[in-house]
Amino acid sequence: MTILGKEAHQDERFERRAAAWLEAIAALQQREEAIRMGGGERSQEKQRKKGKMLARERVEYLCDDGTFMEWGLWVGEGMYEEHGGAPSAGVVCGTGLIHGREVMVIANDATVKAGAWFPITCKKILRAQEIALENRLPLVYLVDSAGVFLPMQDEIFPDKEHFGRVFYNNARLSAEGIFQMAAIMGSCVAGGAYLPIMSDESHIVEGTSSIFLAGSHLVKAAIGEQIDNQSLGGAEVQCDISGVVDHRHPDDKSCLDKIRSQFSQLAATPRAPFARREPQPPKYSPEEIYGLLELDRSRPYDVRDVLARLLDGSEFDEFKASYGQTIVCGTGWIDGWAVGIVANQRSIVPRKTGLEAKDKELQIGGVVYSDSADKAARFIQLCNQKGIPLVFLQDVTGFMVGSRAERGGIIKDGAKLVNAVANSVVPKITIFTGNSYGAGNYAMCGKAYGARFLYAWPSAAIAVMGGAQASKTLLAIQLKNREVSDEEKNEMLSRIQKKYDDATDPRYAASRLWVDEIITPVETRRAISRSLACAACQAELPDFRTGVLQT
C-alpha cells in the first residue's frame, strides 16, 4: 500500500475555493431545511392536532438513535409547481438500523397533499423497493396517504413502472423471503390499500387510521350507503371484524414500539463475506477537499489528492499506475470496508508512446482514452474475481474523439469497459464529483448501469455534453436559415446556456432520481460505508460473466 497525498498548501487560492464550497453547501442546506418542512407549518400543526406524529418523526422514533440516513430528499424539487409542488415527492425514504439491523423505511408525508402519490412519488417508492430487493433489506412501510393524485392519474396509474408495480414488488419481495412490515398510520385508500395488506405483517393505529377500497363519499355515490370512515374501515373493523389487519394500537408511538419489538425477534441472515478491518480515519481531513477542488470544472486537479482524504489511512494500492492514466484504479479501505476505486483523473498527464523518454504526448484530464478504458475494464474484472465492491468517482467529459482515437480503436475499448461495468456483480457505488458527460456517464457506472447507490457532490454536472458545446450546437440549429443581429444571437445563446446549465445542476438530477442524494465530500465516507453495510445483506453474488469482447 502507498500512502497518498501531502499536506494541503493552504494559500489564498485554497481559502477562496474552500469559502465558495462552504457558501454553496450552506445554501443547499438551507433549502433542504425548507424541503423537510413538507407541506409547511400549518399542515404540520394540523397533523399534530389529530394526535399524529410527522413522517420524519415517525422514522426517527422507529430507527436506532442517529442511524436513519435519508435519501431522495430532493426528489420532486421544482416539479408540479402548478399543483403547489411536492417536497420530497410526499414520501420519506432511507435506510436505518432497527436493533442494529439495516432496514429500508418508506413513510408517506401526509402534510404534502394528504400524502397523495405524484408520478415521481411512485418512481421514488419503486427505487426504494429496488434497493431493498437488490440488497435483501427488510422493509417498513409507514402508510398515511390519500392515494393517487387524481389530476395526474394518467401519468401514474396504468403503465408498467406506475402505481401497480409497487404491489407487484410487494409480492416479489415476499416470495424472495425479504420481510415487509406495514403500519397504517392515517389514510389508506383504494388501490393503495393493497400495499400494507400484501406486506407480511400489518399494524393500524386506532382513531386516526383507516383502510378501505372506497371511502365513505365514494360508497354513497356508488351504492347509496351512508357510513363514516371509521365504521367503514377503522382499526376495530379491520382488526376485530374483517381480520384484514394483524395488530391495532392506541397511538403512533405504541405502534412503532411494537414494530421495533418484533424486529428484535427477526432471524439473522447470512452476510456477504466482503473483507473488513478496523476502520481508520484518512491521514488528511476530508474537509481539505473543499480547498483542493477547483471551482471551474474545466480546471485540472489530481484525483489522488481527493482519494487521500477519503481512504482509511490514505492508503492506496494502485493498479497499472503508469498506464491509461486518465483513469486511476486501485484498492483501499473506506471505514474498514475493502473497496476497488475507479476514478477519473483530471490532471493533464504524459503518455509514453515509445521507449524513448522524449517520445510522449499529453493526455487531457477527464477524458477516457483507449488505454484507460482497457485498464479500467481489466481492473473491474479483477475486483469481481476477488469479490471487492467497486466505488466509481465520476468526473468525466467523455471519450476521446478524432481520427487518431478512432484508428486506435476507441469504440472497441470503450465497449469493453461498458461491458465490464454492465456485467459486474459486486456492489457498485457511484459518486458524481464533477462532470458526467455523454458516454463517460455510462462507462463510469451512471444510473443506467446498475449502481446500488448513487450520490452527487454539489459540484456535479450530468448531461450529454458540456454546456458551452451544447449551447452553441443548439444555437446553430435554431439559427439555421435565419439572419439575426449579434446582439440577438448573444441573447439567444445566453438563454439557451442558462436553461442547459439549470438542467445539468445536481439538484435537477436529484429531483428526478438520476442520483439518490446530494452529499458533501465530508459525508462521502459515511455514505459509502452505510451503502456497503446494506449491500453486505446480500449473502451470495451471481457468477461474473461478460459478453463477447473485442480484443
Side-chain angles (χ1 to χ4, degrees):
M1 289 278 184
T2 300
I3 305 297
L4 292 177
K6 58 185 178 181
E7 292 291 341
H9 182 51
Q10 299 192 20
D11 56 10
E12 186 269 337
R13 284 184 63 202
F14 180 98
E15 297 296 340
R16 187 172 66 250
R17 290 191 293 253
W21 260 93
L22 294 174
E23 183 180 351
I25 289 170
L28 283 173
Q29 291 174 339
Q30 184 177 12
R31 180 58 193 155
E32 287 175 346
E33 286 304 310
I35 293 171
R36 290 190 183 96
M37 291 298 293
E41 290 185 10
R42 287 184 61 186
S43 295
Q44 290 184 349
E45 188 59 31
K46 186 177 178 181
Q47 181 147 327
R48 286 197 175 100
K49 283 182 178 179
K50 294 178 181 178
K52 296 164 66 176
M53 300 168 71
L54 304 178
R56 288 181 176 82
E57 292 173 346
R58 289 167 174 167
V59 172
E60 291 289 347
Y61 187 85
L62 175 68
C63 295
D64 298 350
D65 289 346
T67 65
F68 181 67
M69 185 171 175
E70 183 172 357
W71 60 261
L73 177 69
W74 288 89
V75 174
E77 175 71 0
M79 302 171 70
Y80 315 123
E81 296 299 328
E82 67 276 22
H83 299 294
S88 284
V91 63
V92 178
C93 297
T95 55
L97 301 181
I98 301 180
H99 292 290
R101 184 181 190 132
E102 290 285 353
V103 175
M104 172 63 71
V105 185
I106 302 171
N108 299 112
D109 184 354
T111 71
V112 179
K113 295 289 189 296
W117 290 41
F118 289 80
I120 199 67
T121 312
C122 188
K123 185 176 181 181
K124 183 174 177 179
I125 292 173
L126 290 176
R127 173 64 178 145
Q129 290 181 318
E130 177 186 45
I131 290 172
L133 184 59
E134 280 189 321
N135 300 287
R136 300 194 65 82
L137 300 180
L139 287 98
V140 178
Y141 304 96
L142 305 180
V143 183
D144 193 349
S145 171
V148 168
F149 185 65
L150 289 177
M152 304 187 74
Q153 65 85 25
D154 60 321
E155 298 181 47
I156 189 173
F157 169 66
D159 210 344
K160 181 179 178 181
E161 299 297 330
H162 282 181
F163 196 61
R165 193 73 175 184
V166 173
F167 319 130
Y168 172 89
N169 286 347
N170 274 144
R172 287 183 62 219
L173 285 157
S174 186
E176 286 285 331
I178 299 170
F179 183 68
Q180 298 171 91
M181 180 80 81
I184 303 152
M185 309 187 80
S187 297
C188 185
V189 63
Y194 287 106
L195 186 147
I197 307 310
M198 291 189 71
S199 299
D200 299 306
E201 195 165 2
S202 58
H203 301 252
I204 191 169
V205 178
E206 298 166 0
T208 59
S209 307
S210 56
I211 176 171
F212 33 62
L213 292 181
S216 55
H217 296 297
L218 183 55
V219 166
K220 183 177 181 181
I223 63 173
E225 182 182 2
Q226 189 153 345
I227 188 171
D228 65 83
N229 282 340
Q230 282 298 311
S231 301
L232 181 64
E236 290 190 14
V237 171
Q238 299 292 25
C239 267
D240 303 0
I241 300 173
S242 70
V244 166
V245 182
D246 301 315
H247 312 276
R248 61 183 173 98
H249 309 278
D251 53 45
D252 282 9
K253 287 189 175 181
S254 300
C255 178
L256 297 170
D257 285 337
K258 175 57 74 173
I259 293 173
R260 281 189 55 83
S261 171
Q262 290 174 322
F263 263 85
S264 69
Q265 301 169 332
L266 205 59
T269 56
R271 294 178 64 82
F274 301 136
R276 289 222 68 184
R277 72 176 193 184
E278 192 66 28
Q280 299 177 31
K283 185 177 178 182
Y284 309 102
S285 170
E287 292 188 0
E288 291 183 354
I289 294 173
Y290 298 142
L292 292 170
L293 277 191
E294 296 287 349
L295 303 177
D296 182 349
R297 283 194 296 267
S298 67
R299 294 180 64 86
Y301 63 89
D302 191 341
V303 74
R304 293 180 187 86
D305 289 336
V306 174
L307 293 174
R309 288 150 180 87
L310 295 180
L311 296 170
D312 287 15
S314 303
E315 296 176 353
F316 188 55
D317 189 3
E318 190 163 353
F319 176 75
K320 290 183 179 285
S322 59
Y323 176 73
Q325 294 181 68
T326 61
I327 295 182
V328 172
C329 300
T331 54
W333 305 81
I334 291 181
D335 198 37
W337 294 96
V339 293
I341 300 291
V342 182
N344 298 114
Q345 174 60 288
R346 287 306 311 274
S347 291
I348 298 173
V349 296
R351 174 183 181 269
K352 293 182 180 179
T353 57
L355 295 178
E356 296 294 329
K358 63 181 181 180
D359 184 18
K360 59 187 179 182
E361 64 182 20
L362 292 180
Q363 290 189 332
I364 302 169
V367 176
V368 180
Y369 290 79
S370 284
D371 53 359
S372 51
D374 176 72
K375 176 177 82 171
R378 176 161 167 74
F379 178 73
I380 289 165
Q381 290 175 310
L382 279 172
C383 285
N384 277 272
Q385 186 81 339
K386 295 176 178 179
I388 302 175
L390 288 161
V391 175
F392 293 82
L393 298 181
Q394 273 210 31
D395 192 349
V396 58
T397 53
F399 283 81
M400 192 59 191
V401 297
S403 61
R404 185 169 184 172
E406 297 296 351
R407 291 172 186 178
I410 186 67
I411 298 175
K412 173 192 67 176
D413 291 313
K416 188 188 302 182
L417 174 55
V418 169
N419 198 315
V421 173
N423 286 295
S424 177
V425 296
V426 295
K428 296 173 290 192
I429 299 166
T430 300
I431 315 292
F432 297 89
T433 64
N435 301 314
S436 177
Y437 295 156
N441 172 282
Y442 303 156
M444 291 295 293
C445 200
K447 182 65 182 284
Y449 281 78
R452 298 287 184 96
F453 298 90
L454 303 100
Y455 303 100
W457 287 359
S459 50
I462 303 172
V464 72
M465 65 177 73
Q469 303 97 307
S471 299
K472 289 174 183 176
T473 302
L474 290 167
L475 179 65
I477 294 170
Q478 291 187 19
L479 293 179
K480 191 174 181 180
N481 301 323
R482 288 180 59 191
E483 291 290 337
V484 299
S485 67
D486 288 344
E487 183 179 350
E488 187 178 355
K489 185 187 295 184
N490 290 334
E491 184 182 334
M492 290 174 67
L493 181 62
S494 177
R495 189 166 57 247
I496 293 169
Q497 178 85 51
K498 183 183 185 310
K499 183 177 180 182
Y500 198 87
D501 287 346
D502 288 345
T504 63
D505 190 287
R507 290 168 292 187
Y508 189 94
S511 72
R512 287 152 179 81
L513 268 174
W514 302 348
V515 300
D516 294 319
E517 192 56 86
I518 299 174
I519 61 172
T520 67
V522 171
E523 295 167 325
T524 303
R525 279 173 50 85
R526 178 174 182 258
I528 292 172
S529 178
R530 285 293 302 275
S531 299
L532 290 173
C534 291
C537 296
Q538 180 193 19
E540 296 183 8
L541 298 175
D543 293 335
F544 174 64
R545 297 179 297 181
T546 59
V548 177
L549 300 177
Q550 291 206 37
T551 58

